[in-house]
Each structure stands twice: as C-alpha cells, then as structure tokens.
Amino acid sequence: MSNMLVYINENNIYIQEGEKTRKLISLEEYNFELQKRRNELNEKYKTVNVDNYLYLWNFILFNNLSNYLIDTYKNSESSTILFEEKLRREGKQIIKLMGTIEIQDILGNIIICMINSEDYLQGDIKIDYTSEVPRESKKVLNLDLNYIFNYTPNSLKEIIEKLKVDLVAFKYFGKSQVNKNGKFILPIYVDEETLNKKGIDYSEYLINWASLAYLKMLTKIHDFFLDYYKYDGKEGLVNDDIMLALIYLTDYEVKDYPTGLQKSIEVGRSTKGKCYFIDSIVVPMAIEQDLAIVFQAKDVYCVVTKTLRLLQ
C-alpha cells in the first residue's frame, strides 16, 4: 500500500498519489481570487469593513481544501497522508485567516483543519511527515479553486441524497414547497391577531424571529431523523451531518396566514417542525460558533460546508 504525498513546489501545493499528481492550489490563484472577492464585497457593502467576510471566505476555503484532501485519501489505496518534515518542525498551531498569507500558511491551515476533523479524531485517516522527495510527473491535473470553495464532502452528499427522499416520504415537504433555487421551503406564519391582543409590536423583530423560528424547525426535524436513522449523536441545534444536510436542503419564508381547515392542518404540522406559528416572542436559542459560521457561509456565499472541529 502506497502513501499520499502532499508537498509545496514553487508556490503551489500538490497531491501525489501513485502515478497521479494534482495541483491542489497555487498562491497566485489564491491571491487573485481573494482580491476578486474583496472587490466584489467592497462594491456590495460600500460602507462596511469587508475583512470579516474575507475571514469567512478563507475559513470556507481552507476547510474545503481539507475536506477534498480527506475524501481523496479515503477514495484511494493510500495508507498515510505524508507532509513535508519541515512543517512538523515549524509547529504551526493556529490557523491564519487574515493578513499576508503565504503558501506555507495555506498548507499549514489545511493540516490544522485535518487534525481537527472528525475523520482524524476517529482514526479514519492517518497523517505523518516525511523527507521523501516527490517523483517527477509529466502530467499534472489542475483543480479549480471555485470547485474547491463550493466542495461538498462525500459523507455529506450521502446524507443529503438520503434526506431528499425521506423529507418528502415523511410529508415534511410537497412538490409545491420547492423554491427557484431547489430548496425545500419551511413556512412561517405570523399570528397578527394574537400578537396584537398580547400588545406585541412584532414589525421590527420579524426578521430575527423568523431566523429563530427556522432554527427551531430545523432542530425538531434533526431530532426526528437522528432517531429514525439510529445515528449516534446529540439532539438539538448541533453541528453534525444531518443538521448540515438540512441547512443545505432547506430555506424558510414568511407565508400568508392560513385559515379554516388549512390552519388546523398546519397547527398539527407545526408540532413536528414542518412549519412555525409566531404568536408570541420567539425565544433565542444557543448556537455554537462553528454552526453559526455554517449559517453565515450560507447567507453570504450560498455555501454549506462541513466545518471541522476547529472552533469547539
């Protein structure tokens, strides 16, 4: 069984597996895309410091570079992922997401993400360091950075495809509940009459309350499928593959308030997280930082990535 070698050459990071060599990322491409993203953000948010959005962009990219490398290893016959010995000597411990980022920082960030991943912590991947010199390659496959940025790990793809079927089978969604982006829509209903009777002016809070209602619906759906699939894991608003797949597959909208029989049906559906009635103040929920970043990435970049256990 051979090893997979990951190394730096002339400001490029390569993966060498047997006779195959791939260029994972180049510093030139990274800097070009980073500046392009900065320009786009400055145009969109003219009065806002965009550094936090670039921090998020870097976080997504480095996580997905690691996710791609993990999947490549798991799909190969390699026994170990080998990195250059000097990287161990440098002892990089903290991920670098801002400031001047060199090619060594990018590879160091990838390693940090990998050793904080579930796959590594569960012993599914093996990492070591070597002084081995890479072989010369006549043909090198170049990977597109945008492909990596939007990469969905294989383990997440599997649960996404599974939930696509089961969410319909268990009548969480019908065909009419799919928006133009292909997302299942979770409806939110505002009970204005009840809110007015309680003296609650909801107008300036609706955006935040709708977001909280979405989290509460996701939590109920997550817990149902956690039990149905007999998965080990925690209930609640947690960062696991079921929750990530639900975030990937769903969105929410405030809909016209139902009446008559339709209201009775929707009230019953709300007990299972299939919809939500706002008839009082929506109580906030605690959310871990890494899962909050998942939602931010979806809102800003339309990317749902499997974040590694870096920020817990």
Side-chain angles (χ1 to χ4, degrees):
M1 205 178 255
S2 61
N3 295 317
M4 179 181 295
L5 182 62
V6 183
Y7 63 95
I8 294 172
N9 184 34
E10 295 182 350
N11 282 328
N12 303 304
I13 297 174
Y14 294 93
I15 307 169
Q16 193 166 82
E17 172 202 344
E19 299 300 318
K20 299 178 184 177
T21 301
R22 308 177 210 191
K23 184 164 71 174
L24 184 60
I25 189 172
S26 72
L27 185 61
E28 181 181 6
E29 183 184 21
Y30 167 79
N31 285 331
F32 176 82
E33 290 294 336
L34 182 66
Q35 187 58 48
K36 179 182 174 182
R37 189 65 62 180
R38 182 183 291 278
N39 294 340
E40 290 172 353
L41 290 168
N42 280 327
E43 182 65 26
K44 185 176 181 180
Y45 305 105
K46 295 182 185 295
T47 61
V48 175
N49 186 334
V50 301
D51 283 350
N52 284 339
Y53 295 111
L54 293 174
Y55 174 101
L56 179 62
W57 185 84
N58 274 326
F59 185 77
I60 298 167
L61 177 63
F62 298 139
N63 270 281
N64 273 342
L65 284 164
S66 174
N67 285 329
Y68 176 83
L69 188 53
I70 289 170
D71 280 349
T72 301
Y73 167 79
K74 292 171 76 172
N75 290 333
S76 74
E77 296 182 356
S78 301
S79 61
T80 307
I81 304 175
L82 297 177
F83 297 97
E84 295 174 281
E85 181 66 36
K86 66 179 181 180
L87 292 169
R88 174 160 58 184
R89 293 196 302 268
E90 290 170 1
K92 181 177 172 64
Q93 298 293 329
I94 300 173
I95 192 168
K96 185 174 182 180
L97 297 173
M98 292 301 295
T100 302
I101 294 179
E102 304 294 345
I103 198 69
Q104 291 83 3
D105 298 313
I106 295 176
L107 186 52
N109 288 341
I110 293 170
I111 295 172
I112 288 174
C113 288
M114 290 190 74
I115 63 177
N116 285 279
S117 70
E118 286 184 348
D119 293 282
Y120 181 77
L121 296 173
Q122 293 173 0
D124 294 331
I125 59 175
K126 186 178 178 182
I127 295 173
D128 207 346
Y129 298 85
T130 183
S131 55
E132 180 181 336
V133 177
R135 296 179 299 280
E136 286 191 21
S137 297
K138 294 181 180 180
K139 188 176 181 181
V140 176
L141 174 66
N142 294 319
L143 296 172
D144 180 68
L145 187 143
N146 287 316
Y147 165 76
I148 294 293
F149 184 78
N150 292 282
Y151 185 74
T152 303
N154 289 338
S155 61
L156 186 53
K157 285 179 185 175
E158 292 173 7
I159 189 67
I160 286 171
E161 293 305 314
K162 197 172 184 178
L163 277 169
K164 270 185 185 179
V165 175
D166 288 341
L167 284 167
V168 175
F170 283 96
K171 302 187 185 309
Y172 279 88
F173 302 101
K175 291 182 179 179
S176 63
Q177 289 179 273
V178 179
N179 68 9
K180 62 182 180 180
N181 297 318
K183 304 297 183 185
F184 291 119
I185 294 301
L186 288 162
I188 296 171
Y189 305 113
V190 180
D191 188 344
E192 294 185 19
E193 183 179 347
T194 300
L195 290 170
N196 288 333
K197 285 180 180 178
K198 293 179 179 179
I200 299 173
D201 180 5
Y202 67 88
S203 56
E204 62 181 291
Y205 304 111
L206 183 57
I207 293 176
N208 288 336
W209 286 1
S211 296
L212 288 169
Y214 179 51
L215 298 184
K216 291 176 185 291
M217 288 185 284
L218 287 179
T219 301
K220 285 186 178 181
I221 301 170
H222 167 274
D223 291 353
F224 172 82
F225 283 105
L226 184 73
D227 178 67
Y228 177 71
Y229 293 147
K230 306 300 180 186
Y231 283 179
D232 291 331
K234 296 180 181 178
E235 292 185 341
L237 192 61
V238 295
N239 183 4
D240 63 14
D241 283 354
I242 294 177
M243 184 62 76
L244 292 177
L246 289 172
I247 296 168
Y248 179 92
L249 288 167
T250 66
D251 215 328
Y252 65 93
E253 288 180 12
V254 177
K255 298 282 192 179
D256 293 337
Y257 195 77
T259 58
L261 178 60
Q262 185 62 34
K263 179 184 175 182
S264 298
I265 293 171
E266 291 297 89
V267 168
R269 284 167 49 83
S270 68
T271 62
K272 297 182 179 180
K274 297 179 180 181
C275 62
Y276 193 95
F277 284 84
I278 296 179
D279 55 10
S280 61
I281 295 171
V282 183
V283 180
M285 298 180 69
I287 183 170
E288 293 181 347
Q289 189 177 14
D290 60 344
L291 190 56
I293 286 177
V294 172
F295 284 105
Q296 291 169 5
K298 180 182 178 181
D299 290 342
V300 178
Y301 296 114
C302 300
V303 172
V304 177
T305 182
K306 186 172 182 178
T307 56
L308 309 178
R309 299 303 183 239
L310 178 63
L311 300 177
Q312 292 186 357

